[in-house]
Amino acid sequence: MKKLASLLGVLALSLLLSAVAAFGLAPAAQAKEAKIGFAFSMTGGAAAYGATQKNGAQLALDEINAKAGADGIKLVALFDDDASTPQQGINVFNKFINADKVSVIMGPTLSNTAQVADRIAQQAGVPVLAISNTAQGITEIGDFIFRDSLTEAVVIPNTINTVKAKLGIKKVALLYGNDDAFTKAGYEAFKNALNQAGIQIMSEQTFAKGDRDFSPQLTQIKGMNPDAIVCSALVEEASGIVAQARQLGIAASVPIIGGNGFNSPALIKNAGQAAEGVIVGAAWNAASPLPLNKKFVEDYTKRYGVAPDQFAAQAHAGVYILNEAIKKAGDPNNRKAIRDAMTQVKDLDTVLGPFFFTPGRDAGSQPVVQVVKNGKFAVLGN
Ligand code: 1QQ
């Protein structure tokens, strides 16, 4: 009899537990949370970009989560370091997908990492939002891969045409890194844009990641007397190139024109005075008068003690884009529904402007051309 009573007790308890599981608090609370994995370069050659990406994302996460009301979905963020390398990017993606079971991934920082890591997410059916990959061939990996970063193929022709119109450049020397997906893509984009614009390419020279001495290439370039130096480099090498060009006596009247790799305050910090006059195409500039952007620049500066850069802005916008897609999907754990909802994001108010994806899942925003003036990226033209 006693045995029967305890058996009934166990039965009642397990019924109660399964009722809680079916209708109760625990799963309902879980269903209101969306896990997002953030893979940014916190160490390695691209750490300057990763640091501001994390800041921009964190600011947006806190804004969104502070507003999430009774029906709101809480965004749960998992940050990890892709170490600026493809191998570590793969490790982080695998962990996010299989161990953490995230609903969506933002990152990785470099195209060089994305071109391998994104394949894992595509195969697993996990949506990815790239916020700084600008090489070609990233969104082409598959229909789960999106980006809010403008490609070099969009930004660079605009940069070259603006520079041609404003500065009347006719002949340039071209210098690029030949061992990275982004620097190679930037080189191709520059070459095409220069050819299209009828600007003569006097020479093409290369360097590798980690190089510190660019004097052989720059000495040759100096001897050619170009109107400008066009350069596709990540920020570590870009900083050295800019500083050494001026040290070698290439006049400040010969502008250095860079791609997205130059688009970091780290360039200005590392190269100092030599960075003045550097021209960089971009997807965003701090001076954008959009009310949302003004608030972002203010809040970010207050929180972190420095002004945001484009990488912070793209990360901030990216979190809002994911939030919108997760809300539209209805179920924060349904990766496929989130992917489908991403394609429906339209006219979303972000710090990059009203945002939408092109049919190829790339960013639909407009580029701008910047010039370094008094230690800041100012607008040269649109
Ligand atoms: C890329 C880039 C880098 C310059 C920044 C992260 O645009 O790797 O695609």
Side-chain angles (χ1 to χ4, degrees), residues 238-257 262 267-279 371-373 375:
S239 304
I241 290 165
V242 168
Q244 289 170 33
R246 300 309 177 215
Q247 276 159 19
L248 285 168
I250 298 177
S253 56
V254 179
I256 300 174
I257 303 166
F262 280 57
L267 177 94
I268 299 169
K269 192 170 157 229
N270 298 344
Q273 184 61 27
E276 289 293 304
V278 164
I279 295 170
V371 59
V372 178
K373 215 172 164 184

Side-chain angles (χ1 to χ4, degrees), residues 87-106:
Q87 189 50 55
Q88 189 53 22
I90 290 171
N91 295 343
V92 170
F93 267 50
N94 275 328
K95 176 182 158 287
F96 280 159
I97 295 165
N98 302 316
D100 301 325
K101 308 218 178 315
V102 300
S103 297
V104 55
I105 295 174
M106 182 183 287

Side-chain angles (χ1 to χ4, degrees), residues 114-373:
Q115 69 179 6
V116 289
D118 283 3
R119 288 177 206 282
I120 294 166
Q122 174 66 34
Q123 209 159 23
V126 176
V128 173
L129 178 62
I131 55 161
S132 56
N133 305 153
T134 61
Q136 79 276 41
I138 301 296
T139 40
E140 287 85 344
I141 288 170
D143 58 353
F144 277 73
I145 315 297
F146 297 74
R147 60 177 149 195
D148 78 4
S149 40
L150 273 187
T151 62
E152 293 290 73
V154 170
V155 173
I156 284 175
N158 181 62
T159 309
I160 292 299
N161 292 336
T162 304
V163 165
K164 187 184 173 191
K166 295 217 179 245
L167 308 178
I169 278 163
K170 295 196 176 61
K171 50 187 186 11
V172 300
L174 189 46
L175 181 58
Y176 70 101
N178 63 357
D179 59 351
D180 175 88
F182 155 76
T183 57
K184 287 193 286 184
Y187 157 69
E188 292 292 341
F190 272 128
K191 195 165 74 168
N192 291 338
L194 290 163
N195 286 335
Q196 288 272 322
I199 296 173
Q200 184 199 346
I201 301 171
M202 305 173 81
S203 75
E204 290 187 10
Q205 304 194 54
T206 61
F207 57 85
K209 245 179 227 179
D211 282 359
R212 292 267 170 270
D213 178 13
F214 306 96
S215 54
Q217 297 95 322
L218 291 168
T219 306
Q220 276 196 33
I221 288 172
K222 188 181 173 195
M224 287 171 196
N225 206 15
D227 295 340
I229 299 171
V230 171
C231 182
S232 182
L234 291 164
V235 72
E236 292 284 315
E237 292 77 26
S239 304
I241 290 165
V242 168
Q244 289 170 33
R246 300 309 177 215
Q247 276 159 19
L248 285 168
I250 298 177
S253 56
V254 179
I256 300 174
I257 303 166
N260 199 42
F262 280 57
N263 212 348
S264 164
L267 177 94
I268 299 169
K269 192 170 157 229
N270 298 344
Q273 184 61 27
E276 289 293 304
V278 164
I279 295 170
V280 186
W284 172 90
N285 181 274
S288 154
L290 297 168
L292 207 64
N293 186 62
K294 282 184 147 170
K295 183 174 172 348
F296 164 65
V297 172
E298 252 173 53
D299 291 351
Y300 186 103
T301 308
K302 203 151 121 201
R303 178 161 173 174
Y304 300 110
V306 285
D309 63 5
Q310 178 192 281
F311 294 93
Q314 288 169 324
H316 186 276
V319 172
Y320 275 87
I321 292 165
L322 290 184
N323 183 52
E324 179 75 3
I326 290 163
K327 272 195 317 204
K328 272 187 197 288
D331 176 357
N333 297 312
N334 188 333
R335 293 161 164 175
K336 171 73 166 65
I338 294 170
R339 187 228 83 94
D340 293 346
M342 298 265 281
T343 66
Q344 305 303 313
V345 171
K346 250 199 308 284
D347 296 328
L348 179 69
D349 207 9
T350 75
V351 298
L352 304 175
F355 189 85
F356 68 96
F357 289 108
T358 67
R361 299 173 304 286
D362 285 328
S365 39
Q366 290 304 310
V368 53
V369 185
Q370 310 175 116
V371 59
V372 178
K373 215 172 164 184

Side-chain angles (χ1 to χ4, degrees), residues 75-92:
L75 304 181
V76 176
L78 305 175
F79 286 95
D80 215 328
D81 177 13
D82 69 32
S84 312
T85 68
Q87 189 50 55
Q88 189 53 22
I90 290 171
N91 295 343
V92 170

